[in-house]
Amino acid sequence: ETIGAAGIIKLMEEVEDRSAYFISNLVYCDAEGVQYCFSDSHYDGTVAMAYDPQGAYSWGELGKIFIPAGADRVATELSPDERVALQRADGFVDAYEEFVKWDGESHV
């Protein structure tokens, strides 16, 4: 129901600066309804020049057009280990890891 990854590529045909980033957010609500928010660092990269519908990793359609910084191919073509290595090299903070390490005290 959206333009999808192929539509984004079409919209960007004449765009020179293809910089992009992903951020994952996780929100946990406790029994009293208090919300605790955890966010990733920017996962920097660029938008590919073409849409490739292939890819072994189920990262969604956007992973088929997103090239992580330091990579030469789209995220869906990278192994999980390759993606993690690229993120860690950049000091990436993962929202899900932060949630797992969370001690139950306030977190915004």
Side-chain angles (χ1 to χ4, degrees), residues 24-28 36-40 95 98-99 102 107-108:
S24 291
N25 296 292
L26 180 141
V27 177
Y28 168 77
Y36 301 91
C37 303
F38 304 84
S39 296
D40 287 345
E98 293 299 305
F99 176 68
W102 178 52
H107 195 278
V108 179

Side-chain angles (χ1 to χ4, degrees), residues 19-22 41-46 66-70 87 90 92:
S19 300
Y21 64 87
F22 275 90
S41 300
H42 284 201
Y43 188 21
D44 295 317
T46 57
F66 179 72
I67 302 171
Q87 290 172 331
D90 201 23
F92 184 76

Side-chain angles (χ1 to χ4, degrees), residues 42-70:
H42 284 201
Y43 188 21
D44 295 317
T46 57
V47 176
M49 297 301 290
Y51 171 67
D52 180 3
Q54 303 302 309
Y57 180 62
S58 174
W59 212 54
E61 287 299 298
L62 296 179
K64 296 175 182 179
I65 63 171
F66 179 72
I67 302 171

Side-chain angles (χ1 to χ4, degrees), residues 57-99:
Y57 180 62
S58 174
W59 212 54
E61 287 299 298
L62 296 179
K64 296 175 182 179
I65 63 171
F66 179 72
I67 302 171
D72 60 358
R73 56 197 193 279
V74 295
T76 56
E77 295 175 350
L78 301 172
S79 72
D81 288 341
E82 288 174 306
R83 282 189 308 282
V84 168
L86 288 168
Q87 290 172 331
R88 296 297 177 241
D90 201 23
F92 184 76
V93 174
D94 183 272
Y96 299 92
E97 288 178 7
E98 293 299 305
F99 176 68

